[in-house]
Every structure is written in C-alpha cells, then in structure tokens.
Amino acid sequence: MSADQSSEDALNDAAELPRVSIVIPAYNEESVIRQCLIAAIYQSVPAHEIIVVDNLSKDRTADIVRQMQLEYPESPIVLLSQDKEQGLIPTRNYGMDNATGDILGRIDADSVVEPDWVEQVQRAFLDTSVQAATGPVVYYDMPMRRFGLKADDKMRQLMLKLAKHQYHFLFGSNMALRSSAWQVIRSETCRDEKDEMHEDIDLSLHLADHDLKISYCPQMVSGMSARRLEDSPRDYRFYVTRFDRTYKAHNVKKMALKAPMVVFFSVYFPAKLLRAIHTVNTAQPVRRGGQ
C-alpha cells in the first residue's frame, strides 16, 4: 500500500468518526468551570462543540465562560442560558436538545476529562449497537488518585456483574449517548421536580426500557471532585438514598442494585477524613533550602 493510499484511508476513517458534543450544566460554578473547560479544550481529538448551559448562576460562571471564548477563539465553546427554571434536569435537557453532535457527552462543571476522553468516546461508539457509554472517574482532590481510579473501575464492573448485565448505569460526571438515543427518551425522562432522584440512573433506566445498549468503557476516564464529602452526614444520606428513590420510581426491585448505597455509606467517614488530611497537606507552603 502506498503512502498516498494510507493517508486517504486515514482521512476516510476520520470522516466516519462521530462528532462529539460536550454538554456541561452549570449553576454557580465559578470555582471550577475554567479547569473543566481547559480539559475539554485540550483533547487529542477536538470536540465538535463544548456547550456550557448556565442555569441562573448568581456568581461569575457565565463571565468566565465568555472570557474563555475570547482566550480560545479557535475552540468551539458555546454558552447557553437556561433561565426558565432552576434545576439540573431542565438545564441538562436544554443542552442536549441544542447540541448538534452525533454523540452527546455529558459531564459536570467540576469534571476534568482525561486528554483522550473525546477519542475514547468515539472509539466506544464505533460499535453501532452501543447507544450510550460511561466510564470510571478519578477523584483529583483526594490522595492516591490512581489507586482510587482502579477502585472506582472495579466497583463499577462489580455492579454490572451483580446486576447480571440486566441494568447498566450511566454516571453523570462521565457519560455519553447517541443523539438518536436521546431523541427516543427525551420526552420520557423524569422531571423530578422535588429533586429526589439520581438523574443519570433515571436516564439509564429509560434507555433500558427501549433496549438501548449501554456500554462500560474503562478507558473513558474523567476526573471529578470529591466535594460531596463536604456534605453533612444528613445531606450525604439524602444523596445516597437517591438510588432507592430512583429505583422505586421505576419499580425496580433488584436487591443487588442496593450495593452502591452500601458502598457509599461505608466510605463516607474514612474518605472524609482522608480528604481533610489531603487538603491540609496540599495547603502547606513549600519550604526551600531545607527550612
């Protein structure tokens, strides 16, 4: 095969790769939105578009996004405003509805995707049977990050095994689905006006209702903050029991699916302590000259 033929084949392969939109719902995220966008910009394969949906933020979230549009004019950063109602679900839906890519990536404003995230998403969807994909996360503000990534990966694979592959759940900080799959479920997804459920699990169950395949991709890695550990025990308990309320809303009674609740409850206090120690250690000033 000649060099010209190889180049032509590579161009053809690139042309067939799906375009990936990244949707980022944001409410009062001025402390993290910049690092999130920088990670989304510096990708081995550029995203088709990076959509930040500002939801009535009272801080400088939108201003920071506008500033980054000026700093990175070559990057497809899009700022949208969803100001009709407060809430993650209507904000997420607005971003998904306005995205123009073949694949709709969904991350949080505190997510820091790995440099090959878009590339790994494209690879995951080369299998035409895959309608949605998710992967593990690494907690970037915790100690032993790579160990944490391996533990997160093992936990998610264990969950899939316990569910006997009947249910496979997306993770809101690191997920993507085909635009065509979104069109199928968009009008069915729960509005959850009382904010009692896990919206990513709700998405997963609606996809399952239509036999739309969800794939777990260990190489599709996103970083996220462990700031949830700053919640009070009462607030953290409410967060964890969102699993149960989401299952009940869908009449899912499989006991094995309660495993995440057990894991999250068991790690709260030791992980909270580790995070506190890590925060103190990283805040220490750097000493020079042995001082």
Side-chain angles (χ1 to χ4, degrees), residues 45-62:
V45 174
H48 170 63
E49 59 192 351
I50 304 167
I51 301 174
V52 179
V53 188
D54 181 59
N55 180 215
L56 298 167
S57 292
K58 298 176 177 65
D59 64 1
R60 296 183 59 252
T61 297

Side-chain angles (χ1 to χ4, degrees), residues 147-160:
F147 172 79
L149 173 61
K150 290 182 179 179
D152 188 83
D153 176 43
K154 294 297 183 184
M155 185 189 76
R156 295 183 192 284
Q157 297 206 42
L158 175 62
M159 274 303 303
L160 184 60

Side-chain angles (χ1 to χ4, degrees), residues 8-21:
E8 185 177 346
D9 290 343
L11 288 172
N12 289 335
D13 289 342
E16 294 173 2
L17 291 173
R19 301 169 301 163
V20 178
S21 297

Side-chain angles (χ1 to χ4, degrees), residues 4-199:
D4 288 343
Q5 285 178 314
S6 297
S7 299
E8 185 177 346
D9 290 343
L11 288 172
N12 289 335
D13 289 342
E16 294 173 2
L17 291 173
R19 301 169 301 163
V20 178
S21 297
I22 301 178
V23 176
I24 309 166
Y27 171 67
N28 289 346
E29 299 287 5
E30 65 178 9
S31 64
V32 293
I33 191 63
R34 184 177 180 85
Q35 66 180 13
C36 176
L37 286 176
I38 287 175
I41 291 168
Y42 287 104
Q43 290 287 304
S44 57
V45 174
H48 170 63
E49 59 192 351
I50 304 167
I51 301 174
V52 179
V53 188
D54 181 59
N55 180 215
L56 298 167
S57 292
K58 298 176 177 65
D59 64 1
R60 296 183 59 252
T61 297
D63 291 337
I64 292 171
V65 177
R66 292 188 192 99
Q67 180 61 37
M68 294 196 68
Q69 287 176 316
L70 296 175
E71 292 179 21
Y72 298 91
E74 74 285 355
S75 296
I77 301 173
V78 179
L79 175 62
L80 301 178
S81 295
Q82 192 288 103
D83 53 12
K84 289 186 177 180
E85 55 184 313
Q86 190 79 67
L88 172 60
I89 290 176
T91 305
R92 174 203 70 191
N93 292 358
Y94 190 80
M96 297 285 206
D97 286 343
N98 283 277
T100 60
D102 306 304
I103 307 299
L104 311 181
R106 150 80 168 91
I107 60 175
D108 289 327
D110 67 347
S111 297
V112 179
V113 294
E114 292 287 285
D116 65 343
W117 190 81
V118 170
E119 182 179 353
Q120 294 298 337
V121 169
Q122 288 181 325
R123 289 182 180 180
F125 285 91
L126 288 177
D127 181 346
T128 56
S129 70
V130 172
Q131 298 299 312
T134 195
V137 297
V138 54
Y139 293 94
Y140 54 72
D141 50 5
M142 289 286 285
M144 302 180 291
R145 288 187 287 271
R146 289 299 153 183
F147 172 79
L149 173 61
K150 290 182 179 179
D152 188 83
D153 176 43
K154 294 297 183 184
M155 185 189 76
R156 295 183 192 284
Q157 297 206 42
L158 175 62
M159 274 303 303
L160 184 60
K161 185 177 180 180
L162 288 173
K164 297 181 179 179
H165 295 259
Q166 181 180 359
Y167 295 105
H168 195 175
F169 297 136
L170 299 169
F171 188 39
S173 296
N174 184 15
M175 56 172 267
L177 67 160
R178 291 190 191 275
S179 176
S180 56
W182 171 245
Q183 293 304 318
V184 171
I185 67 170
R186 61 184 294 274
S187 62
E188 302 175 5
T189 55
C190 297
R191 298 291 293 176
D192 190 22
E193 288 87 354
K194 295 182 179 179
D195 191 23
E196 295 181 334
M197 298 163 54
H198 278 310
E199 54 90 20

